[in-house]
Amino acid sequence: MSTLRTAVTGGAGFIGSHLVDYLMSKGHYVKVFDNFSAGKIENIRQWMSHERFELYKVDLKDRNAVFEKLKDVDVVFHLAANPEVRLGSQDPYAIYSDNVEVTFNVLEAMRLNGIKYIVFTSSSTVYGETNVRPTPEDYSPMEPISVYGASKLACEALIMGYAHTFNIKALILRLANIVGPRAQHGVIYDFIHKLLADPTQLEILGDGSQRKSYLYISDCIEAIYHLFMEFTKSNTLIEVYNIGSQDWITVKEIADIVVEEMGLKGVKYRFTGGVEGGRGWRGDVKYMLLDVSKALEKGWRPKHTSQEAVRLAARALIKEVGKC
Ligand code: NAD
């Protein structure tokens, strides 16, 4: 495939807008579908008048609008979702409708409008609390411990069912924590905002020993693109990959990096202690490290460690906040 006609749902959001930049830089056609619930026009402004770019301001929960507008593309990069893992314990319906209903609507539009490929950004949270780390793609039982993780697993199942029934080719990518400029959620973003409000102390959810893998946004985008291009050369109907860095870092270490990058001294850490043995909140997976050897075998390699990713992201986000 040379020039692709692509749709990016959630294309004005954090990961989506970086993917849009990448696809545009490679000469592809890009249609962005976003309701701007979290996405920002600034993230995609640079492409607004480009001849290969189109913006559809659509709520993907609006089934008819999706059927009518999501067409004439080769591939849907389906990123639109509610990515707030914590929200699931307060408003499970929001997670269900933004993730599962929206994915159903996207798949229906693909079926009705004859779109061949879907690339879905799933999550490490589909595994739940694992006893094998690094965790491979075929780990079982898959038992999410958050409504968010459950919703992503439900989306995967729907996509697989549609793939087999309607011959839609599906690439499912289970992402670790992705960090970088334009992020508007996650631990680094939270720490920066808390420290701006009070530079003398930092509340840390849980006991600070939660340890997870963080991947820099450029490594994530390269993985999405590279694995999709490889997928188009294969005859398989469905492929599933873990995407993350090969190391991990604790929440306390992240706090240290953010504090250092903000140039602060003597910040007092206040650990909430969390729930159930030091988790940040109910549904927070305490230890997460993905086995990415399958993606490595396909020729993708992350350029940054978790620690480097966190530092680069903290630096970029601090700069962004300074511009507000
Ligand atoms: P984000 O909130 O920045 O982006 C999501 C985008 O989807 C936003 O622009 C939002 O406006 C849009 N959106 C949400 N609901 C919509 C709807 N009903 N109709 C149209 N647009 C809608 O989040 P992100 O961090 O960029 O996440 C992108 C994807 O990657 C999500 O599917 C998320 O579950 C997945 N993911 C993210 C991470 C991470 O660490 N950021 C990790 C694993 C998986």
Side-chain angles (χ1 to χ4, degrees):
M1 253 184 223
S2 46
T3 304
L4 293 166
R5 297 171 307 155
T6 72
V8 181
T9 72
F14 164 44
I15 303 176
S17 64
H18 285 280
L19 179 63
V20 168
D21 290 348
Y22 200 82
L23 292 169
M24 290 298 292
S25 76
K26 294 278 180 192
H28 301 299
Y29 288 82
V30 179
K31 294 183 181 185
V32 162
F33 291 79
D34 206 298
N35 67 351
F36 293 90
S37 53
K40 286 184 167 175
I41 198 79
E42 297 91 87
N43 291 345
I44 49 170
R45 196 185 298 284
Q46 58 170 321
W47 304 115
M48 293 297 279
S49 53
H50 199 288
E51 59 184 17
R52 282 187 282 107
F53 180 86
E54 280 174 71
L55 171 63
Y56 293 85
K57 196 172 175 210
V58 168
D59 187 340
L60 295 163
K61 285 184 294 234
D62 178 351
R63 206 177 280 190
N64 292 332
V66 186
F67 298 169
E68 195 188 306
K69 295 184 170 124
L70 186 54
K71 61 182 179 195
D72 302 328
V73 293
D74 304 305
V75 51
V76 178
F77 291 93
H78 178 37
L79 280 73
N82 193 323
E84 275 295 344
V85 184
R86 250 185 290 168
L87 182 71
S89 55
Q90 295 140 31
D91 189 358
Y93 182 71
I95 297 288
Y96 164 75
S97 60
D98 280 336
N99 299 358
V100 186
E101 248 179 63
V102 158
T103 299
F104 175 77
N105 290 348
V106 165
L107 286 166
E108 272 294 271
M110 291 182 67
R111 173 177 78 87
L112 295 169
N113 298 327
I115 302 171
K116 189 173 173 192
Y117 288 99
I118 184 166
V119 178
F120 177 63
T121 47
S122 187
S123 156
S124 62
T125 58
V126 295
Y127 295 113
E129 204 96 274
T130 61
N131 53 27
V132 178
R133 286 184 292 265
T135 308
E137 288 87 352
D138 58 2
Y139 178 84
S140 77
M142 290 174 88
E143 192 180 316
I145 63 165
S146 62
V147 175
Y148 169 80
S151 78
K152 297 304 270 191
L153 188 54
C155 291
E156 287 194 16
L158 266 178
I159 291 168
M160 289 175 180
Y162 266 74
H164 282 283
T165 313
F166 304 111
N167 208 26
I168 290 171
K169 289 187 55 126
L171 178 64
I172 292 173
L173 305 173
R174 296 183 182 144
L175 310 181
N177 294 308
I178 310 303
V179 295
R182 302 181 192 161
Q184 284 199 76
H185 57 95
V187 62
I188 305 173
Y189 180 89
D190 279 355
F191 283 172
I192 292 171
H193 284 267
K194 280 177 179 168
L195 285 166
L196 282 173
D198 182 353
T200 65
Q201 59 168 320
L202 178 63
E203 181 199 61
I204 298 178
L205 302 182
D207 63 8
S209 72
Q210 305 99 301
R211 187 184 283 269
K212 305 182 199 190
S213 166
Y214 293 79
L215 184 72
Y216 198 61
I217 183 71
S218 53
D219 283 329
C220 172
I221 299 301
E222 279 169 19
I224 295 174
Y225 188 77
H226 176 76
L227 292 173
F228 175 65
M229 295 316 269
E230 289 296 304
F231 185 52
T232 62
K233 296 179 207 155
S234 79
N235 291 323
T236 39
L237 187 65
I238 301 167
E239 286 182 21
V240 182
Y241 292 92
N242 286 335
I243 301 297
S245 48
Q246 290 167 282
D247 63 339
W248 48 356
I249 179 172
T250 65
V251 170
K252 157 82 170 51
E253 286 170 298
I254 294 175
D256 292 343
I257 292 174
V258 173
V259 165
E260 197 185 310
E261 288 296 326
M262 288 180 84
L264 300 172
K265 294 233 156 37
V267 177
K268 210 170 147 31
Y269 293 164
R270 202 159 45 75
F271 297 96
T272 64
V275 295
E276 298 167 344
R279 294 171 204 283
W281 60 89
R282 269 201 116 170
D284 180 25
V285 173
K286 207 167 170 202
Y287 304 106
M288 182 272 288
L289 182 64
L290 299 176
D291 181 343
V292 294
S293 42
K294 210 173 146 189
L296 297 178
E297 277 162 30
K298 282 280 172 186
W300 169 77
R301 194 157 296 277
K303 296 190 176 76
H304 306 280
T305 61
S306 286
Q307 207 178 67
E308 287 164 355
V310 167
R311 190 170 291 282
L312 287 173
R315 219 168 268 171
L317 290 172
I318 292 163
K319 225 187 241 169
E320 279 180 11
V321 170
K323 281 189 201 145
C324 292

